[in-house]
Amino acid sequence: MSGTIFLIVGLGVCGFIWLLSAQMRGLIVQALFLAAQEKFPTTDAGVVKTGAKATPLAGDAEGEAGQVQNWLRETHPQAVGHLQLARRGTLVGPVLMLVVVAVWRFGFGGAL
């Protein structure tokens, strides 16, 4: 019984982390996209969207997307930091779900 409770609670928490991170990513990218589109109105929307999505990455994009990227890093550092955290959450959430299932299966002797 305790194994089942562990599984349900563990998967619930990990699923919440994963879904909240995915939602954060979408909302933050949209906010950064709108801010960059206001600053660079003549730039193609696809280039601005690419710059907004790639802002927290280590490397710099080239051309107009790189200008958008640098401007967003300088003017919105807190939002870029939150986007980095949300990206980590979307990567870690599913892995934690697998860990919870493995602990349930091998630690609590759960049957599949």
Side-chain angles (χ1 to χ4, degrees):
M1 184 66 172
S2 63
T4 305
I5 293 172
F6 170 79
L7 179 68
I8 292 170
V9 171
L11 287 178
V13 169
C14 293
F16 179 75
I17 290 170
W18 186 40
L19 292 174
L20 183 63
S21 297
Q23 179 187 20
M24 281 177 56
R25 281 180 72 173
L27 291 174
I28 293 169
V29 165
Q30 183 65 26
L32 290 175
F33 168 70
L34 292 175
Q37 196 173 30
E38 186 176 316
K39 174 71 176 173
F40 302 98
T42 59
T43 306
D44 181 40
V47 173
V48 174
K49 190 76 148 185
T50 301
K53 286 182 180 180
T55 299
L57 301 177
D60 287 332
E62 295 184 8
E64 293 177 333
Q67 291 174 349
V68 171
Q69 215 177 13
N70 292 331
W71 180 78
L72 287 172
R73 283 184 190 150
E74 292 170 3
T75 57
H76 302 289
Q78 193 171 19
V80 172
H82 288 302
L83 184 56
Q84 287 175 333
L85 179 64
R87 283 179 180 224
R88 280 190 218 114
T90 54
L91 293 174
V92 169
V95 174
L96 286 178
M97 286 182 186
L98 291 174
V99 168
V100 166
V101 169
V103 168
W104 170 73
R105 173 67 178 99
F106 300 112
F108 290 100
L112 296 176

